[in-house]
């Protein structure tokens, strides 16, 4: 409990939320290359479920993983 309080005070998020944000940031970087499928990116970023990955990605970024990736396709 103490660690969680201090972490949130320092980083502005709980450890779990912080880890999710880092994973989503990594996913954004991978999706921007358009080299991998959305399901492959989800697995590479530590998400076991594509639906949970899509849910969290949209919750954090405001757009779907596929929609985000289409911005970078040539």
């Amino acid at each position: 409990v103490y660690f969680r309080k201090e972490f949130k005070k320092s980083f502005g998020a709980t450890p779990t939320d912080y880890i999710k944000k880092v994973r989503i940031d990594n996913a954004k970087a991978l999706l921007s290359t358009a080299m991998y499928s959305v399901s492959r990116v989800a697995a590479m970023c530590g998400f076991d479920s594509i639906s949970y990955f899509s849910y969290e990605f949209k919750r954090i970024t405001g757009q779907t993983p596929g929609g985000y990736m289409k911005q970078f396709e040539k």
Side-chain angles (χ1 to χ4, degrees):
V1 174
Y2 176 77
F3 171 77
R4 186 173 173 210
K5 274 188 197 178
E6 291 300 311
F7 190 95
K8 187 166 185 171
K9 193 186 311 180
S10 296
F11 293 98
T14 64
T16 303
D17 289 342
Y18 181 82
I19 291 169
K20 281 182 200 171
K21 184 178 179 330
V22 169
R23 286 180 172 175
I24 295 298
D25 288 344
N26 288 337
K28 286 169 63 177
L30 290 168
L31 289 169
S32 69
T33 68
M35 293 176 54
Y36 306 102
S37 67
V38 172
S39 59
R40 179 72 181 129
V41 169
M44 291 169 74
C45 293
F47 289 90
D48 294 331
S49 164
I50 184 75
S51 61
Y52 182 66
F53 168 70
S54 295
Y55 169 79
E56 286 296 331
F57 192 94
K58 185 166 185 174
R59 186 179 68 79
I60 292 171
T61 67
Q63 55 189 147
T64 64
Y68 183 83
M69 187 168 61
K70 284 183 182 176
Q71 298 175 47
F72 301 97
E73 291 178 346
K74 295 176 182 170

